[in-house]
Amino acid sequence: MESTRAWSDGPVGDDAGDGALGRLLGGSASGGADRRIVTGALVCRFCDWHEFEVTASECFCVGCCLPIGVQDGDLYESRDGDPFASSEHALWRLEPSAVPVPGTSPDVIRCPAGHDLFQVAAAYTLGEDGPVRRLSVGLRCLVDGALHLFVDDARVVPVVC
């Protein structure tokens, strides 16, 4: 499935994308007390792999096939060890911003050149009380460097189990 959202050019190569993904996800947080944090490239916490296949609703580790938790809040850590999610397990659902959140289609996302493996990075805004309030997720094709904003500043709504 070719995404209908815009793609932009980025650096080519396995380790060239942290800066490009950071710029793609950069920006200031909405609200005065909120704090926006941009992670580096995400890695799988189970197998330490860094390539992901992306469907219209989730990013899956190529190494172990487990999802990173975009939809439900169970997200990975960045390569440098900075935690993405709080130490407490927080479940959420995403509410769309101006750009819709991922859909429910099982179709695999492909870059304009047809590649389907990506480096993934995330940016999140923490509320004054600590939990994640907003989420953005960026993709970078490892083959041709194409950059894509998969989730754009979606509002995170906690789910009580």
Side-chain angles (χ1 to χ4, degrees):
M1 172 180 126
E2 188 171 326
S3 174
T4 58
R5 295 188 207 163
W7 289 82
S8 59
D9 293 331
V12 176
D14 201 24
D15 294 325
D18 276 352
L21 280 167
R23 285 187 299 279
L24 177 69
L25 294 171
S28 60
S30 58
D34 292 343
R35 187 171 57 122
R36 182 150 174 110
I37 299 167
V38 177
T39 70
L42 300 180
V43 296
C44 177
R45 66 177 166 212
F46 300 109
C47 72
D48 203 33
W49 199 247
H50 65 280
E51 292 180 12
F52 298 88
E53 186 175 73
V54 181
T55 67
S57 61
E58 187 59 85
C59 302
F60 293 90
C61 173
V62 172
C64 65
C65 299
L66 294 173
I68 66 171
V70 170
Q71 291 287 354
D72 64 9
D74 187 21
L75 287 159
Y76 290 71
E77 294 182 353
S78 66
R79 281 189 184 183
D80 58 8
D82 291 335
F84 176 77
S86 66
S87 58
E88 298 175 18
H89 184 74
L91 298 178
W92 65 52
R93 66 181 171 79
L94 298 177
E95 285 192 352
S97 58
V99 176
V101 298
T104 57
S105 170
D107 291 338
V108 172
I109 302 281
R110 297 184 190 282
C111 76
H115 305 118
D116 63 357
L117 295 180
F118 300 96
Q119 187 177 47
V120 176
Y124 55 100
T125 303
L126 295 176
E128 194 173 305
D129 54 350
V132 175
R133 297 291 179 220
R134 301 193 79 77
L135 174 69
S136 296
V137 178
L139 308 176
R140 186 183 73 88
C141 176
L142 295 167
V143 177
D144 61 20
L147 296 168
H148 178 63
L149 197 54
F150 182 55
V151 177
D152 184 16
D153 202 32
R155 192 165 79 91
V156 172
V157 178
V159 174
V160 179
C161 296

